[in-house]
Amino acid sequence: QVQVVSSGGGLVQAGGSLRLSCTVSGMTFDDYAMAWFRQAPGKEREGVSWISSSGYMDYVDSVKGRFTISRDNAKNTVFLQMNSLKPEDTAMYYCASEGTGRSAYFFGGYYFNYWSQGTQVTVSS
Protein backbone atom coordinates (compact mmCIF):
# COMPACT_ATOMS: atom_id res chain seq x y z
CA GLN A 1 0.00 0.00 0.00
CA VAL A 2 1.36 3.40 -1.01
CA GLN A 3 1.82 5.87 1.82
CA VAL A 4 2.72 9.51 1.32
CA VAL A 5 3.66 11.69 4.29
CA SER A 6 4.46 15.38 4.05
CA SER A 7 5.93 17.77 6.58
CA GLY A 8 7.61 21.13 6.94
CA GLY A 9 4.82 23.69 6.79
CA GLY A 10 4.35 26.53 9.20
CA LEU A 11 3.84 30.23 9.69
CA VAL A 12 6.28 32.62 8.05
CA GLN A 13 6.38 36.31 7.23
CA ALA A 14 6.21 37.50 3.64
CA GLY A 15 9.61 37.22 2.02
CA GLY A 16 10.56 34.25 4.17
CA SER A 17 11.31 30.65 3.25
CA LEU A 18 10.04 27.19 4.06
CA ARG A 19 11.07 23.72 2.93
CA LEU A 20 8.48 21.01 2.56
CA SER A 21 9.41 17.34 2.59
CA CYS A 22 7.49 14.30 1.46
CA THR A 23 8.40 10.66 1.97
CA VAL A 24 6.82 7.80 0.07
CA SER A 25 6.66 4.10 0.92
CA GLY A 26 5.05 1.10 -0.72
CA MET A 27 6.19 1.84 -4.25
CA THR A 28 9.36 1.94 -6.33
CA PHE A 29 9.91 5.66 -5.79
CA ASP A 30 12.41 6.24 -8.60
CA ASP A 31 9.99 4.97 -11.23
CA TYR A 32 7.34 7.60 -10.68
CA ALA A 33 6.77 11.32 -11.02
CA MET A 34 6.01 13.36 -7.93
CA ALA A 35 4.21 16.64 -7.47
CA TRP A 36 3.18 19.30 -5.02
CA PHE A 37 -0.34 20.72 -5.03
CA ARG A 38 -1.96 23.35 -2.88
CA GLN A 39 -5.46 24.35 -1.94
CA ALA A 40 -6.43 27.65 -0.40
CA PRO A 41 -9.75 28.09 1.43
CA GLY A 42 -12.60 28.42 -1.04
CA LYS A 43 -10.38 27.60 -4.01
CA GLU A 44 -9.78 24.51 -6.08
CA ARG A 45 -6.69 22.41 -5.66
CA GLU A 46 -3.94 23.52 -8.04
CA GLY A 47 -0.72 21.94 -9.16
CA VAL A 48 2.35 23.84 -7.98
CA SER A 49 5.26 21.79 -9.31
CA TRP A 50 6.09 18.34 -10.62
CA ILE A 51 9.26 16.35 -11.10
CA SER A 52 9.60 13.30 -13.32
CA SER A 53 11.40 10.09 -12.46
CA SER A 54 14.35 11.32 -14.55
CA GLY A 55 14.45 14.75 -12.94
CA TYR A 56 12.58 16.94 -15.40
CA MET A 57 10.51 19.53 -13.58
CA ASP A 58 8.14 22.38 -14.08
CA TYR A 59 6.23 24.94 -12.06
CA VAL A 60 3.03 26.89 -12.16
CA ASP A 61 3.78 30.42 -13.36
CA SER A 62 2.97 32.03 -10.02
CA VAL A 63 5.88 30.26 -8.26
CA LYS A 64 8.52 30.19 -10.99
CA GLY A 65 11.79 31.64 -9.78
CA ARG A 66 10.75 31.29 -6.12
CA PHE A 67 10.07 27.57 -5.57
CA THR A 68 12.39 24.66 -6.32
CA ILE A 69 11.35 21.01 -6.42
CA SER A 70 13.88 18.24 -5.96
CA ARG A 71 13.96 14.56 -5.16
CA ASP A 72 16.30 12.21 -3.33
CA ASN A 73 15.62 8.75 -4.71
CA ALA A 74 17.88 7.11 -2.14
CA LYS A 75 15.59 8.42 0.60
CA ASN A 76 12.26 8.13 -1.27
CA THR A 77 11.78 11.82 -0.59
CA VAL A 78 10.74 14.85 -2.59
CA PHE A 79 11.26 18.43 -1.43
CA LEU A 80 9.77 21.81 -2.18
CA GLN A 81 12.00 24.74 -1.29
CA MET A 82 9.86 27.87 -1.12
CA ASN A 83 11.59 31.24 -1.08
CA SER A 84 10.29 34.81 -1.26
CA LEU A 85 6.95 33.63 0.06
CA LYS A 86 3.91 35.78 -0.47
CA PRO A 87 0.58 35.90 1.39
CA GLU A 88 -1.08 34.43 -1.68
CA ASP A 89 1.02 31.29 -1.20
CA THR A 90 -1.00 30.56 1.93
CA ALA A 91 -2.66 27.17 1.46
CA MET A 92 -2.68 23.55 2.49
CA TYR A 93 0.10 21.89 0.53
CA TYR A 94 -0.21 18.29 -0.59
CA CYS A 95 2.43 15.97 -1.94
CA ALA A 96 1.29 13.42 -4.50
CA SER A 97 2.82 10.49 -6.29
CA GLU A 98 2.03 9.32 -9.76
CA GLY A 99 -0.81 6.86 -10.10
CA THR A 100 -4.22 6.37 -11.66
CA GLY A 101 -7.61 6.10 -10.07
CA ARG A 102 -10.96 7.82 -9.80
CA SER A 103 -9.59 10.67 -7.69
CA ALA A 104 -6.45 11.23 -9.75
CA TYR A 105 -5.42 14.75 -10.74
CA PHE A 106 -3.83 15.35 -14.14
CA PHE A 107 -0.85 17.71 -13.97
CA GLY A 108 2.22 18.17 -16.13
CA GLY A 109 1.31 15.18 -18.27
CA TYR A 110 0.96 12.78 -15.33
CA TYR A 111 -1.87 11.45 -13.20
CA PHE A 112 -1.34 11.78 -9.46
CA ASN A 113 -3.41 9.60 -7.21
CA TYR A 114 -1.60 9.02 -3.93
CA TRP A 115 -1.80 11.94 -1.56
CA SER A 116 -0.19 13.11 1.62
CA GLN A 117 -2.24 14.32 4.54
CA GLY A 118 -1.32 17.92 3.75
CA THR A 119 0.79 20.48 5.52
CA GLN A 120 -0.35 24.03 6.20
CA VAL A 121 1.66 26.96 4.92
CA THR A 122 0.64 30.39 6.18
CA VAL A 123 2.39 33.54 5.00
CA SER A 124 1.65 36.72 6.92
CA SER A 125 1.95 40.15 5.35
Side-chain angles (χ1 to χ4, degrees):
Q1 183 176 357
V2 178
Q3 290 189 320
V4 185
V5 179
S6 56
S7 62
L11 173 64
V12 65
Q13 287 188 330
S17 297
L18 284 172
R19 189 192 196 204
L20 305 184
S21 300
C22 171
T23 301
V24 182
S25 60
M27 60 184 286
T28 307
F29 180 78
D30 349 20
D31 287 348
Y32 296 97
M34 297 292 300
W36 288 96
F37 291 75
R38 66 186 179 186
Q39 188 167 16
K43 295 188 177 181
E44 292 189 356
R45 189 171 298 190
E46 69 164 344
V48 175
S49 179
W50 59 267
I51 184 166
S52 72
S53 59
S54 55
Y56 289 102
M57 64 194 75
D58 203 2
Y59 304 87
V60 67
D61 286 347
S62 60
V63 308
K64 283 182 178 177
R66 301 188 298 120
F67 290 12
T68 303
I69 192 170
S70 61
R71 62 190 297 161
D72 183 340
N73 289 340
K75 297 183 178 179
N76 285 13
T77 300
V78 62
F79 304 98
L80 186 69
Q81 178 67 43
M82 305 184 295
N83 298 329
S84 302
L85 282 161
K86 303 175 180 180
E88 50 264 44
D89 295 317
T90 295
M92 185 71 78
Y93 282 70
Y94 298 91
C95 175
S97 64
E98 185 183 357
T100 57
R102 293 183 62 185
S103 61
Y105 271 70
F106 186 72
F107 177 50
Y110 302 93
Y111 285 97
F112 296 94
N113 194 47
Y114 301 103
W115 299 89
S116 71
Q117 78 285 9
T119 185
Q120 179 66 38
V121 171
T122 303
V123 184
S124 63
S125 57

